[in-house]
Every structure is written in C-alpha cells, then in structure tokens.
Amino acid sequence: MKKITLLLLLCCLCTACGTKDEVSQETGVIVSEEIEVTKKVFPLPSTIDINALDNCTVAVSINEGDIFVDEGGKTQLKVTVYDMDLYDMVDIANLKEGDTIVIQGSDVLVETLERTESGLLLINGGMENDGYDLWHNDSGVYFEQGYSDTKSYYAIGDATLQVSENFDFADSSDPDKGEAVYHADDLLKNDSEIVYHFTPNNTKIVIENGEVTHLIRVYTP
C-alpha cells in the first residue's frame, strides 16, 4: 500500500512541474528531467462591439465639427471609439519570467518581472525602460498604465451616432471652473466657449438605445 501511495504522489508532482523522460545511454535507466513550463497570457475578451453600440459607456475622442445636423434635421455625433486590454488578476498573479503576455496585439516576452509593494507590475524594466507598467482597478483587473496614471487606450473604429433630444454634456475638465453642463446647441455654436480637447483618457459617452444621451469629460493632469 505504501508503494502505491508513493507512486501516485510522484505522478502528481511530475504532472505539476512538467517532466521529460529520457533513457540514459550509459545505464539504460529511465531518467526524469524537470523542464520549465511557460504560458501565454491573453487579455480578457472585449465587451465593445463597434458595430452594435446600443447600451454602453465607451471612451472616445472628438474633434471640432464632429457634432453636426444631418440633412434630415437630426443631430449626429461622430466619434472615434477606444478600448484597452484588461487582464485577469489570477493570470497576472501567476505570470513569471519566461512567459509571454499579449499587449495591444503584440507578443511580449517577459524577460524581467518586478512587483512593487503598491501592487504595480513592472514588465521588462517598466515603462521608463521601454517596458510596461500594469496596474489594477478596484475589482483587481489589470491594465497597462501610461504616464501620469493614464490608461493605454487603442482605437477600435469610428462611429456616427444620433444625439438624443435629452442629451447633456457634463464638463469638469477645468478644476478651477468646476463642472459646467452644456447641451447639443452649445456644441453646435461656432462661437462656443467649449475648448476642443476630447481624448479617450478624459472623455466618455453614454449610449442608450443607439443614441448618445451623455457626454462626460473629466480633468486629467
């Protein structure tokens, strides 16, 4: 019975670590050699469908002239929609040197890995050394972080959406002025006081039933 238990234990250990069995040329005895098992970490599936922006909140960029009235008299808003890579906290907790992580579609070999006390993950020396910084949100999901705590968004496509009759624009991008609330007519004015600096790190739109109901811009350093 002891021999059977010991044999099962050895099999479990070999399965967890990964082994390679070879026959010794000198003795003819099977020799087990432990090999390092690496893995590839992918981002979580995106929840944004650029072709079906029905009920969601997305990061966007907007240029002057992107809000307009079409030939049918309906107000439209043209936006570039952005997404970012999100990583499961378990995958990141198990990430080690020698593994590969996919960042914005590219395979990145993890040559060095450093975990700081604050929870920041530095891959290949971190951003300051041409590597990558990964940070996490309140739910523990990780994402690539840029300078001044910005998120590393990438464009996934353009979309033109109808603006709701109840549309409003909440702008708190200037901390000295506080929050100002505007409406579609304010954005359509040529002499509007609104400064056009809408980037994915400071701007989001809320879409309900295919129409833009809210435009939100916040302060970023």
Side-chain angles (χ1 to χ4, degrees), residues 51-64:
N51 297 311
L53 297 173
D54 294 328
N55 294 282
C56 55
T57 300
V58 293
V60 299
S61 64
I62 303 171
N63 297 313
E64 192 167 0

Side-chain angles (χ1 to χ4, degrees), residues 11-22:
C11 289
C12 291
L13 290 174
C14 289
T15 301
C17 299
T19 61
K20 180 181 179 182
D21 292 339
E22 293 183 351

Side-chain angles (χ1 to χ4, degrees), residues 47-114:
T47 59
I48 302 174
D49 184 353
I50 190 67
N51 297 311
L53 297 173
D54 294 328
N55 294 282
C56 55
T57 300
V58 293
V60 299
S61 64
I62 303 171
N63 297 313
E64 192 167 0
D66 281 347
I67 186 167
F68 60 94
V69 178
D70 65 16
E71 295 179 354
K74 299 292 186 180
T75 303
Q76 306 284 344
L77 179 63
K78 179 183 176 183
V79 296
T80 299
V81 180
Y82 294 79
D83 199 359
M84 63 178 178
D85 290 334
L86 300 176
Y87 300 92
D88 183 85
M89 62 185 301
V90 175
D91 288 340
I92 297 303
N94 293 326
L95 189 68
K96 64 182 184 303
E97 294 177 0
D99 289 342
T100 299
I101 183 170
V102 179
I103 299 178
Q104 294 194 24
S106 298
D107 289 354
V108 176
L109 176 63
V110 181
E111 298 177 356
T112 64
L113 189 65
E114 179 184 352

